[in-house]
Amino acid sequence: MAASIRTFRVRPGPWTKRICYVFTGVMNKCKRKISSESHNYCLNILRKHDYENFLCLLQLPHQALASAVAVRAFNAEIAGIKDSVSEKTIGQMRFRFWKDSIENIYKSRPPNHPIAIELSRAVESHKLSKRWFNRVLEAREETIDDRPFQTLESAEEHAENTSSSILYLILESLGVQDLHADHAASHIGRAQGLVTLLRSVPFHAQRRNVLLPMEITSKHKVSQEDLIRGKMEQPAKDVMFEIASRANAHLETARSFRKDVPKEALPAFLVTLPMHDFLTAIQKVDFDVFDPKLQRRNHMLPVRLWLQHKRKTY
């Protein structure tokens, strides 16, 4: 990593080129250290479908990297099931495959699937807890119908069961067993789930779906049809504000006891940076979740993540 950062500092040219040098250096280092077809498959899944979390993982120490990549690739695969099948029964069959795969992984009989192979190695290396995998699978399958959440609390519970569970597994990959770290991971995961819910509104609107909590949309008298049409008048912005405020509250809670979180856990919490950036950006556009500025990729993110990692904070 140091060599790539030195290149960033002295190489002339526009910022975009410099960032490419940093990113390419990190990627090459990652591939040199961990070279296998199944690992590269997981990396490619993340780079394509979970880019921000992919960048965050690149700052993890070598001994945890392969396991964390496998965990994130598993999450990306499971999260994408409902959007990649045309019939609910097909989706349920895929969930059944992964439930059976997790059981077999813990019996040292992983199926011949790249993600399952990498998960098996991760479980063997870091003794990852099976209950977190099962909790992710159960929560994702419950939302296969793309129905809106009833309340904000139910959306938070879903985030705890999915995003927080993945963070618990990454902490285990880092060898961290600490109540303060778990507490932080719980709040960070809840914030991440709510941010993802906001960011996905335009995507779901194109598919004529609205997943935002009915309790909040009813409170502000916003119809599903308004959101599907991208009608962002003040009541709709108030809905986004309320959800964003709850996400920000979880981030602030997680940060309130960061002095008690062991330094070994900090790389797992770099995910707070893109979340913070989104919450800042949506405030700047007056909580218009359809504003094109919110869809732009942040090309400075690799460098900012590296700096955040060096500061040892979240």
Side-chain angles (χ1 to χ4, degrees), residues 87-97 141 144:
E87 296 179 14
K88 180 179 177 180
T89 52
I90 298 174
Q92 291 172 326
M93 289 171 61
R94 290 182 63 181
F95 277 111
R96 183 74 262 165
F97 166 80
E141 188 171 18
I144 195 171

Side-chain angles (χ1 to χ4, degrees), residues 1 5 8 15-16 18-24 26 51-52 54-56 58-59 270 273-274 277 297-309:
M1 184 67 190
I5 291 301
F8 161 71
W15 276 103
T16 51
R18 298 180 188 184
I19 294 167
C20 284
Y21 293 136
V22 176
F23 180 74
T24 302
V26 174
Y51 183 70
E52 290 181 348
F54 164 73
L55 292 179
C56 294
L58 297 180
Q59 302 299 334
L270 287 172
L273 182 59
D277 286 353
R297 180 170 285 184
N298 181 1
H299 296 291
M300 285 297 296
L301 185 58
V303 175
R304 296 186 64 236
L305 285 168
W306 180 80
L307 291 171
Q308 186 90 321
H309 176 60

Side-chain angles (χ1 to χ4, degrees), residues 163-164 167 183-193 250-251 254-255 268-269 271-272 275 314:
S163 298
S164 298
L167 286 175
H183 195 184
S186 176
H187 285 284
I188 292 169
R190 287 168 182 260
Q192 188 171 37
H250 282 297
L251 274 184
R255 287 168 171 162
F269 299 156
V271 294
T272 58
M275 282 189 275
Y314 62 89

Side-chain angles (χ1 to χ4, degrees), residues 26-314:
V26 174
M27 278 300 301
N28 290 339
K29 183 177 179 181
C30 178
K31 288 185 175 180
R32 284 197 304 271
K33 284 188 172 181
I34 309 168
S35 181
S36 74
E37 246 181 73
S38 54
H39 176 73
N40 290 337
Y41 176 91
C42 291
L43 280 175
N44 289 331
I45 286 284
L46 293 177
R47 187 162 45 189
K48 183 177 180 182
H49 298 293
D50 196 6
Y51 183 70
E52 290 181 348
N53 282 317
F54 164 73
L55 292 179
C56 294
L57 290 180
L58 297 180
Q59 302 299 334
L60 265 62
H62 168 61
Q63 65 271 19
L65 181 58
S67 294
V69 166
V71 167
R72 281 287 182 199
F74 164 79
N75 185 57
E77 179 79 8
I78 300 307
I81 288 178
K82 66 178 180 180
D83 296 323
S84 61
V85 297
S86 55
E87 296 179 14
K88 180 179 177 180
T89 52
I90 298 174
Q92 291 172 326
M93 289 171 61
R94 290 182 63 181
F95 277 111
R96 183 74 262 165
F97 166 80
W98 280 108
K99 287 179 181 178
D100 292 343
S101 295
I102 293 298
E103 291 298 320
N104 287 324
I105 283 169
Y106 280 86
K107 295 175 183 177
S108 300
R109 298 199 305 265
N112 188 25
H113 187 288
I115 295 176
I117 291 169
E118 288 300 303
L119 282 181
S120 181
R121 291 171 180 166
V123 168
E124 183 178 353
S125 299
H126 298 285
K127 312 302 178 188
L128 303 183
S129 301
K130 182 167 71 170
R131 62 173 173 154
W132 303 130
F133 290 113
N134 287 334
R135 197 160 80 151
V136 171
L137 283 165
E138 289 168 8
R140 293 291 185 191
E141 188 171 18
E142 284 175 2
T143 58
I144 195 171
D145 288 326
D146 266 346
R147 290 192 298 266
F149 294 103
Q150 292 295 313
T151 64
L152 188 53
E153 286 72 23
S154 62
E156 289 178 302
E157 183 180 357
H158 178 75
E160 166 68 28
N161 291 336
T162 53
S163 298
S164 298
S165 294
I166 294 300
L167 286 175
Y168 299 147
L169 287 165
I170 292 176
L171 287 175
E172 289 183 349
S173 298
L174 289 164
V176 175
Q177 294 183 347
D178 180 84
L179 287 176
H180 295 297
D182 289 345
H183 195 184
S186 176
H187 285 284
I188 292 169
R190 287 168 182 260
Q192 188 171 37
L194 295 180
V195 166
T196 301
L197 182 63
L198 287 173
R199 297 180 77 167
S200 66
V201 169
F203 170 80
H204 288 295
Q206 289 179 344
R207 299 163 67 99
R208 299 194 62 79
N209 286 330
V210 176
L211 305 186
L212 299 176
M214 294 177 66
E215 172 193 56
I216 308 298
T217 54
S218 297
K219 172 183 172 182
H220 296 284
K221 296 181 173 55
V222 176
S223 70
Q224 289 197 1
E225 193 62 32
D226 287 341
L227 293 170
I228 289 170
R229 291 179 179 177
K231 190 178 180 181
M232 288 303 296
E233 296 181 350
Q234 192 57 47
K237 291 179 179 180
D238 290 340
V239 170
M240 308 308 165
F241 169 78
E242 190 162 342
I243 297 171
S245 296
R246 184 69 69 92
N248 188 64
H250 282 297
L251 274 184
E252 291 303 313
T253 301
R255 287 168 171 162
S256 68
F257 47 83
R258 57 188 161 195
K259 291 182 180 178
D260 298 318
V261 172
K263 63 180 182 180
E264 293 80 10
L266 298 180
F269 299 156
L270 287 172
V271 294
T272 58
L273 182 59
M275 282 189 275
H276 172 82
D277 286 353
F278 175 81
L279 292 173
T280 301
I282 197 172
Q283 185 178 17
K284 288 180 179 177
V285 298
D286 193 25
F287 298 94
D288 179 357
V289 77
F290 289 94
D291 193 296
K293 295 186 187 73
L294 299 179
Q295 308 301 321
R296 295 174 186 167
R297 180 170 285 184
N298 181 1
H299 296 291
M300 285 297 296
L301 185 58
V303 175
R304 296 186 64 236
L305 285 168
W306 180 80
L307 291 171
Q308 186 90 321
H309 176 60
K310 289 301 178 183
R311 293 185 186 116
K312 299 189 183 305
T313 187
Y314 62 89

